[in-house]
Amino acid sequence: DIVMTQSPDSLAVSLGERATINCKSSQSVLYSSNNKNYLAWYQQKPGQPPKLLIYWASTRESGVPDRFSGSGSGTDFTLTISSLQAEDVAVYYCQQYYIIPPLTFGGGTKVEIK
Amino acid sequence: EVQLLESGGGLVQPGGSLRLSCAASGFTFSAYAMSWVRQAPGKGLEWVSSISGNGGNTYYADSVKGRFTISRDNSKNTLYLQMNSLRAEDTALYYCAKTSGKDYYFDFWGQGTLVTVSS
């Protein structure tokens, strides 16, 4: 199984400041034949289902604000919120879809306002 | 507009059974793999099971293999999860999730249905 490890578990960032969340996979999720990283990011606000933010490690889902960006390759990935807004308070999860079964999620990172 | 509406959750005793349903609309249901993902109270996301668009391929987490069965009825645009031999650790909010297509990331999620296993 591919284990996904997120860090930190939580972070508090001032409004307008940058938030950075890391995700590390136990093996590469880069498929060499198409040069794609099989890595997605989700946002889950309290009392709501998760929402897709990023797929292929760096492709923003339609409608997602451009302050959200994904980067990284192989085993190390980052979700960046360039200028934190109040509505970005949520838990963020990474997920690998390189191997099924099982699909695996990171443990989540809680983002709060400082 | 994509809609996923889960139902069938509730309180069940350990060892009991439940069948969850997910009614889908707003997209060509048979063209997309579908999945169940659960979230225990206050915990993170755990993938449970997936099924291909035509139902020919099914996948399970080790934690539910042999106890849960995923299926779909493409004529009714409905996804199912038959859960047998339920355990306390199966207590969770169960989400129905639509995949993007042949790649297993989830571009739309339902609101979830709560399953509580307790005596």
Side-chain angles (χ1 to χ4, degrees):
Chain A
D1 297 3
I2 298 179
V3 177
M4 307 300 291
T5 303
Q6 286 184 232
S7 62
D9 291 337
S10 64
L11 74 161
V13 176
S14 300
L15 289 173
E17 296 300 305
R18 178 184 301 260
T20 301
I21 300 168
N22 301 300
C23 175
K24 187 174 183 68
S25 58
S26 61
Q27 66 184 78
S28 176
V29 298
L30 173 62
Y31 191 36
S32 57
S33 66
N34 61 11
N35 201 36
K36 288 185 173 181
N37 287 283
Y38 284 59
L39 190 284
W41 288 96
Y42 302 89
Q43 175 194 62
Q44 186 177 31
K45 296 181 179 180
Q48 296 185 19
K51 173 189 172 185
L52 177 66
L53 295 177
I54 302 281
Y55 55 98
W56 301 127
S58 61
T59 302
R60 204 178 299 115
E61 173 73 334
S62 175
V64 172
D66 60 7
R67 64 180 180 273
F68 292 92
S69 64
S71 62
S73 185
T75 61
D76 292 280
F77 301 90
T78 300
L79 175 69
T80 301
I81 310 173
S82 60
S83 175
L84 191 75
Q85 305 300 303
E87 61 264 32
D88 300 334
V89 168
V91 179
Y92 294 84
Y93 296 93
C94 60
Q95 178 229 334
Q96 68 79 23
Y97 49 101
Y98 183 80
I99 288 179
I100 176 173
L103 299 171
T104 48
F105 292 89
T109 296
K110 186 175 185 178
V111 174
E112 300 172 307
I113 304 296
K114 186 187 292 182
Chain B
E1 178 193 5
V2 173
Q3 291 193 20
L4 298 173
L5 184 61
E6 301 97 335
S7 61
L11 175 63
V12 61
Q13 292 187 339
S17 298
L18 277 178
R19 188 175 85 152
L20 306 184
S21 300
C22 172
S25 61
F27 63 102
T28 305
F29 184 67
S30 60
Y32 294 89
M34 297 291 294
S35 300
W36 292 97
V37 177
R38 68 185 180 184
Q39 187 168 35
K43 301 298 184 182
L45 301 172
E46 180 189 15
W47 171 76
V48 173
S49 183
S50 297
I51 186 168
S52 60
N54 64 7
N57 293 301
T58 57
Y59 310 94
Y60 298 93
D62 285 347
S63 58
V64 307
K65 196 177 298 180
R67 300 187 299 122
F68 289 12
T69 302
I70 192 171
S71 62
R72 64 192 297 160
D73 185 337
N74 286 345
S75 68
K76 295 182 178 179
N77 288 353
T78 303
L79 175 72
Y80 302 101
L81 186 68
Q82 177 66 45
M83 304 187 296
N84 299 329
S85 303
L86 283 160
R87 306 166 179 167
E89 55 264 36
D90 296 318
T91 294
L93 186 62
Y94 283 72
Y95 292 106
C96 166
K98 171 186 170 292
T99 68
S100 71
K102 58 181 175 64
D103 298 301
Y104 282 78
Y105 63 89
F106 309 114
D107 59 3
F108 196 83
W109 301 62
Q111 291 295 314
T113 186
L114 182 62
V115 173
T116 302
V117 184
S118 175
S119 55

